[in-house]
Amino acid sequence: MRWALLVALLLALAGCASAPTAPAGADADMQARSDRFVVVAVANPLQRLPSRAGTSLSSYGGTPRYTQGEQAARVLADVARRHQLREAAAWPIPVLGVHCVVFEIAPDASRDAVLAALAQDAQVQLAQPLHDFEPLATDAPGVRYDDPYLPLQQGFLALGVPQAHRLSTGRGVHIAVIDTGAQTDHPDLNGRAIALHNLVDERPAAALAERHGTEVLGLIAATGNNGQGIVGIAPDARLSLYRACWYGAANGRARCNSFTLAKALVAVLASDARVINLSLGGPDDPLLTQLLQQLLRQGRSVVAALPADGLRRGFPAGVPGVISVAATGQADGAAPLQAPGRDVLTLQPGGRYDFASGSSMAAAQVSGVVALMLSAQPALDGPAIAHLLTGAEGRPWTAQQLLALGKAAPAGRQTAAHNFR
């Protein structure tokens, strides 16, 4: 009920970067043996070439104008020589003023010892492990559906989305999803203009019909009123999928790492996406945190899945300003923001439908709700959205109280219930 009240209230109120480069085979090595690699950043003091005046979200997608400077090249060569490192991938991140390199450590070296030495190196601005991350979903029993059945979308109905769609379907809002690949020609996504970016390997992104990304895209934006399947929260939003995670052959689980996620975040910084969905989690990561903070400073909304223990920590859920979402009932309801995340009907590769569980699914639905809000109120920014969703008072309201509160509150300061059920 609170979801329906919240959505009704909210809708009634109605730099540049160069692409990373890696030697052939380096990406596969990093994916298979991440514990043998470190991420190092050094200052890259370059002057930006003249560009058009003014800055806005729509201007972020301009042509890259940065390369590795001579000073950074010399420093990195010295660092590699002193610490016996071999370059595996490198790319400038102009928004942070650094040049990043993924180095492979010597075969007989301890990564902890190498990182400790790098931390004492005055020429190094950042040194960290090549962290691994994973999508935060759990597999559901193998009940599968071949035919559309909207009544099974209990989370969708609990959110009051059918009512909200009378006012907004997410049109005009760009959502960036950083995840695994997805079946973008699924019957419930077929025909949608989805920009695809494979940042893991050289394979065509359109050919990678992976499960987790398909589930997340389906919840956010499955096509409505097409006579089949399910309906997404924001079926008219514009979508970009950044494949930064992949499925391992050994255990069948999806993984990401610091390098692939950094590439995705840099690419999103060069886009006009206003909503970024990160249904994944892992340890604190200094480089990824800096990139995410840059997105937040630009007023974008970043929605992340809360770890299974329900604690707001690690990357990305622990980064201040991120809208961190738990599955309803996760960690005894201790999380500040919850959404349906148990046995949620969504899309599966092969043109199928099935249930999925986890905070990944909860975060995807909240990303859809954020798109509805932005479509109805384009002037809202990330902090205003976060305030509305988390609710400063955090107490339940009746429908009349919510509507009266929303109408009386100044723009960007509306208050909403904090626990979505």
Side-chain angles (χ1 to χ4, degrees):
M1 183 63 176
R2 292 181 188 174
W3 268 106
L5 298 178
L6 174 65
V7 175
L9 164 67
L10 296 176
L11 295 178
L13 299 176
C16 302
S18 296
T21 60
D27 285 343
D29 288 342
M30 286 186 278
Q31 294 162 26
R33 302 181 298 112
S34 61
D35 61 320
R36 304 304 301 166
F37 292 85
V38 295
V39 181
V40 174
V42 302
N44 192 23
L46 297 175
Q47 296 296 317
R48 183 180 179 123
L49 298 179
S51 182
R52 57 184 181 277
T55 300
S56 67
L57 278 175
S58 63
S59 70
Y60 294 152
T63 303
R65 294 170 177 266
Y66 288 84
T67 59
Q68 181 183 9
E70 292 183 5
Q71 176 180 324
R74 288 195 300 270
V75 169
L76 286 166
D78 289 343
V79 168
R81 176 179 50 78
R82 286 198 303 272
H83 301 280
Q84 298 182 12
L85 304 173
R86 184 181 69 84
E87 181 179 309
W91 76 109
I93 303 182
V95 72
L96 301 181
V98 300
H99 197 85
C100 262
V101 175
V102 178
F103 282 121
E104 183 176 6
I105 66 176
D108 57 347
S110 160
R111 187 170 72 169
D112 289 344
V114 171
L115 286 171
L118 287 167
Q120 300 301 315
D121 193 319
Q123 292 185 300
V124 174
Q125 285 199 1
L126 176 148
Q128 64 170 67
L130 180 67
H131 285 133
D132 287 329
F133 297 81
E134 62 181 28
L136 296 174
T138 56
D139 293 332
V143 180
R144 298 175 180 176
Y145 296 86
D146 299 321
D147 55 303
Y149 205 41
L150 183 61
L152 288 174
Q153 290 187 261
Q154 294 303 312
F156 180 90
L157 298 173
L159 301 181
V161 177
Q163 294 75 24
H165 279 176
R166 293 200 298 264
L167 298 170
S168 172
T169 55
R171 187 177 302 278
V173 179
H174 183 188
I175 304 175
V177 176
I178 299 176
D179 214 289
T180 69
Q183 186 192 358
T184 55
D185 63 351
H186 189 288
D188 248 345
L189 292 174
N190 196 17
R192 296 294 305 275
I194 302 174
L196 301 176
H197 310 270
N198 183 6
L199 304 173
V200 174
D201 50 43
E202 299 301 319
R203 290 178 291 173
L208 299 167
E210 294 172 313
R211 186 181 73 249
H212 194 270
T214 304
E215 293 170 345
V216 168
L217 281 186
L219 289 174
I220 293 175
T223 305
N225 288 326
N226 63 347
Q228 59 185 347
I230 63 172
V231 183
I233 304 291
D236 288 329
R238 182 159 59 94
L239 300 174
S240 293
L241 175 63
Y242 296 84
R243 182 179 182 254
C245 309
W246 66 93
Y247 280 91
N251 57 16
R253 297 180 61 180
R255 295 173 52 207
C256 333
N257 64 35
S258 303
F259 177 55
T260 57
L261 290 172
K263 288 194 285 185
L265 291 171
V266 169
V268 172
L269 278 164
S271 78
D272 64 353
R274 298 193 65 187
V275 185
I276 297 91
N277 186 88
L278 285 161
S279 287
L280 53 90
D284 290 324
D285 189 291
L287 173 62
L288 299 182
T289 295
Q290 290 184 50
L291 291 169
L292 206 56
Q293 287 170 337
Q294 185 67 19
L295 284 165
L296 292 166
R297 281 194 290 268
Q298 293 170 351
R300 315 203 203 198
S301 294
V302 179
V303 181
L306 210 66
D309 60 10
L311 300 178
R312 184 170 177 172
R313 62 185 181 184
F315 177 88
V319 179
V322 169
I323 301 169
S324 300
V325 186
T328 300
Q330 181 181 350
D332 298 322
L337 190 64
Q338 300 186 28
R342 182 176 177 82
D343 296 333
V344 181
L345 184 63
T346 185
L347 311 185
Q348 295 289 328
R352 298 183 294 102
Y353 302 84
D354 203 347
F355 292 99
S357 299
S359 56
S360 279
M361 307 303 121
Q365 292 173 94
V366 170
S367 288
V369 170
V370 172
L372 298 184
M373 296 163 64
L374 288 171
S375 182
Q377 284 280 20
L380 292 173
D381 62 6
I385 292 287
H387 176 80
L388 285 166
L389 288 176
T390 56
E393 288 79 3
R395 58 188 177 94
W397 302 87
T398 66
Q400 286 182 331
Q401 287 172 328
L402 278 172
L403 291 172
L405 179 68
K407 291 177 181 177
R413 296 296 301 172
Q414 298 91 338
T415 303
H418 77 293
N419 191 8
F420 303 162
R421 298 187 183 276

